[in-house]
Amino acid sequence: MLFRLNEFLMAVSFALDFVEMDILGMASNHGKRTAYISISIAKEMRLSSEELHDVAALAMLHDNGLSEYSLHEKLATKELKNVALLEGVKEHCTIGERNIKNYPLLTNVKNIIKYHHERYDGTGFFNLRGEEIPLMSQIIAIADALEKTFDLQNNNHDMQNKVCEFVRNQENVSFSSRIVKAFFKVTEDKMFWMNLENGFISIALEKRIPKHSLELSFEEIHGITNVLSKIIDSKSSYTQRHSQGLSEKAAIMADFYNLEKEEKMKLIIAADLHDIGKLAVPNDVLDKPDKLSDEEFKIIMKHPEYTRLALQEIKGFEDITEWASNHHEKLNGKGYPRGMTEKELDFNSRLMTCLDIYQALTEERPYREGLSHEKAMEILKSMMENGFIDTKITKDIDYVFSKLS
Ligand SMILES: [Fe+2]
Ligand SMILES: [Fe+2]
Ligand SMILES: [Fe+2]
Ligand SMILES: [Fe+2]
């Protein structure tokens, strides 16, 4: 399909915004502001339209390694909810680089995210010096540094002066003269500072990114969504392989039903992304060991709707959006968030619901082993008998996975 990269990028950034919100406890727009400053500088340096697209995408994604790192190192504690501190760890650069390996870029740049904390004088994480640092990394580095060091949202002359003074002082220390010169050119645009404010940043950024499409197969798109599923899974230590496991099971059932290749790939992509809305649920709620309060349960119940919001803007993703967002709906109308009924739920939506339950029950959690196939099927069958889930699909899952367990 003709894949509109910008639409996808916006969906990804929508999701990443929530990760920031969770790590930092607020909507920081860190990725977006970094991207806006980066693309402005890159434009000033006359990078090509393809390069501008890539620098914006990479800048938006530059800290995608943070959530995984903070989770694994249990850094997401209150006192470390500070982007500057979290970013002070080298691993988020290598994890971030690895995660975007299959992301569709338009130019052949490499290691841009890996080197986004390098400094011109060679004192960065990897001690690259001067022009050894890829140009896009240099651009993202200055944008990131300004975003982290200053409260750009609070737009006033005092802040602007401080930023400019900092950039001047860092010439040939953190940043090259070329970059510094381009930055000052950028600040001549009267709209530059205002566009960085929370109320303007999303639209300003979207407008500035050149529109590009790529002809990608659903298989190639899966190469990207597979990475996203890892970012989604790594949000919570309770669900470390949930989306990936669901995706594998969706593939098995698609083969069992002899689905066409394209439909199979769409189903797999839907499984990759079905819980992308969970990125919007705070970890305090997701990882709560005790019973959830009504309020907290209401927050959890919103996650499929956030999945819909993130995916529905992507043209060509209509089926995927539907199958991904309906995974907690039930045939008898007792599901969430929409309370859809039998008539509204197509086969693949029903399949996703059944598989999601089966996956959740059989996967290992920190506080319990995964249930055996038989135990899991007892629960699915009782849901089937009570009209919650599809009878045929439940029986098929029993048949297919009893052989594999
Ligand atoms: Fe960083
Ligand atoms: Fe950053
Ligand atoms: Fe879910
Ligand atoms: Fe799920």
Side-chain angles (χ1 to χ4, degrees):
M1 69 180 249
L2 195 64
F3 197 60
R4 291 182 176 80
L5 290 170
N6 302 61
E7 288 169 4
F8 186 68
L9 191 56
M10 285 301 144
V12 171
S13 88
F14 178 85
L16 287 175
D17 272 358
F18 286 123
V19 177
E20 281 180 2
M21 220 186 286
D22 202 39
I23 294 178
L24 306 173
M26 57 179 175
S28 70
N29 281 321
H30 176 63
K32 285 185 182 165
R33 259 195 286 269
T34 303
Y36 183 76
I37 301 170
S38 297
I39 196 169
S40 302
I41 295 174
K43 213 169 174 188
E44 186 54 49
M45 296 179 91
R46 312 222 181 288
L47 269 60
S48 70
S49 169
E50 286 78 14
E51 288 170 320
L52 290 181
H53 169 275
D54 287 359
V55 85
L58 290 164
M60 208 113 96
L61 293 164
H62 79 281
D63 279 330
N64 80 80
L66 275 186
S67 97
E68 189 173 336
Y69 181 75
S70 63
L71 170 80
H72 288 166
E73 300 305 310
K74 303 270 177 292
L75 273 178
T77 51
K78 293 272 183 282
E79 64 272 23
L80 275 162
K81 280 189 172 178
N82 176 316
V83 80
L85 277 176
L86 271 169
E87 285 206 44
V89 191
K90 190 174 175 175
E91 279 74 9
H92 85 277
C93 301
T94 36
I95 294 174
E97 182 66 37
R98 192 201 60 212
N99 277 348
I100 58 123
K101 203 173 75 221
N102 293 316
Y103 195 87
L105 294 173
L106 298 168
T107 64
N108 278 328
V109 289
K110 273 197 191 72
N111 292 327
I112 304 301
I113 289 187
K114 178 173 176 192
Y115 295 134
H116 83 270
H117 279 270
E118 296 310 290
R119 291 156 56 98
Y120 203 67
D121 65 1
T123 58
F125 288 149
F126 298 93
N127 303 114
L128 257 56
R129 182 188 287 271
E131 296 306 320
E132 283 171 5
I133 309 164
L135 180 61
M136 285 190 196
S137 301
Q138 293 188 40
I139 293 173
I140 295 173
I142 185 172
D144 184 33
L146 298 182
E147 211 317 284
K148 271 186 317 229
T149 316
F150 299 95
D151 184 8
L152 300 179
Q153 152 61 18
N154 227 327
N155 182 18
N156 56 51
H157 279 293
D158 184 44
M159 180 277 283
Q160 295 175 13
N161 291 337
K162 281 187 181 142
V163 171
C164 292
E165 190 189 326
F166 172 82
V167 173
R168 235 173 269 124
N169 289 335
Q170 292 297 315
E171 182 166 351
N172 291 318
V173 183
S174 295
F175 321 123
S176 76
S177 295
R178 219 158 46 113
I179 299 262
V180 168
K181 208 172 133 210
F183 174 75
F184 281 113
K185 268 269 170 216
V186 164
T187 59
E188 286 172 15
D189 174 357
K190 295 235 168 3
M191 294 303 290
F192 173 72
W193 298 103
M194 203 173 93
N195 281 341
L196 292 171
E197 295 173 21
N198 285 341
F200 296 100
I201 186 65
S202 298
I203 293 182
L205 175 63
E206 209 174 333
K207 277 207 178 136
R208 192 147 285 202
I209 306 174
K211 300 228 173 345
H212 283 284
S213 300
L214 268 185
E215 191 55 48
L216 292 180
S217 66
F218 278 104
E219 221 156 355
E220 286 168 309
I221 295 171
H222 171 57
I224 312 160
T225 56
N226 175 257
V227 178
L228 279 177
S229 79
K230 287 181 194 155
I231 298 177
I232 299 164
D233 285 350
S234 66
K235 174 165 162 90
S236 165
S237 53
Y238 285 4
T239 55
Q240 279 181 28
R241 282 205 86 264
H242 175 73
S243 307
Q244 295 166 73
L246 182 65
S247 208
E248 286 156 17
K249 291 186 175 61
I252 293 171
M253 290 311 288
D255 286 339
F256 174 74
Y257 290 124
N258 275 320
L259 298 188
E260 298 275 340
K261 181 124 179 255
E262 184 171 309
E263 191 176 349
K264 174 181 171 182
M265 290 318 299
K266 283 188 189 173
L267 199 62
I268 291 173
I269 292 169
D272 281 343
L273 301 177
H274 79 289
D275 271 340
I276 194 169
K278 269 206 182 151
L279 295 175
V281 180
N283 274 59
D284 306 352
V285 178
L286 267 190
D287 294 348
K288 192 178 173 186
D290 324 311
K291 204 168 172 293
L292 295 176
S293 69
D294 284 353
E295 265 326 293
E296 290 165 333
F297 201 63
K298 269 189 199 146
I299 297 175
I300 294 240
M301 292 206 310
K302 287 181 188 162
H303 81 267
E305 204 54 28
Y306 283 120
T307 295
R308 191 182 291 277
L309 282 177
L311 302 181
Q312 69 185 3
E313 297 305 325
I314 306 173
K315 278 181 208 73
F317 263 39
E318 291 77 11
D319 289 337
I320 293 170
T321 303
E322 218 42 52
W323 305 336
S325 316
N326 294 342
H327 73 274
H328 287 292
E329 300 292 347
K330 301 283 162 19
L331 299 179
N332 58 10
K334 291 187 177 161
Y336 64 85
R338 298 190 168 197
M340 292 163 104
T341 55
E342 216 165 334
K343 278 187 246 116
E344 300 160 284
L345 295 164
D346 68 358
F347 185 81
N348 286 331
S349 294
R350 297 173 186 209
L351 176 59
M352 203 64 86
T353 302
C354 295
L355 283 177
D356 184 56
I357 302 166
Y358 184 78
Q359 173 63 32
L361 291 171
T362 52
E363 71 196 13
E364 201 181 309
R365 298 274 165 103
Y367 51 93
R368 65 149 168 83
E369 302 263 291
L371 295 188
S372 66
H373 172 79
E374 287 70 28
K375 282 255 156 40
M377 281 321 300
E378 271 174 35
I379 297 174
L380 264 93
K381 279 179 184 155
S382 100
M383 293 178 87
M384 171 190 93
E385 279 151 19
N386 289 307
F388 284 87
I389 55 176
D390 191 277
T391 305
K392 180 169 183 326
I393 295 173
T394 305
K395 287 181 177 163
D396 292 339
I397 287 179
D398 189 15
Y399 173 76
V400 171
F401 292 105
S402 64
K403 292 185 177 170
L404 296 173
S405 61

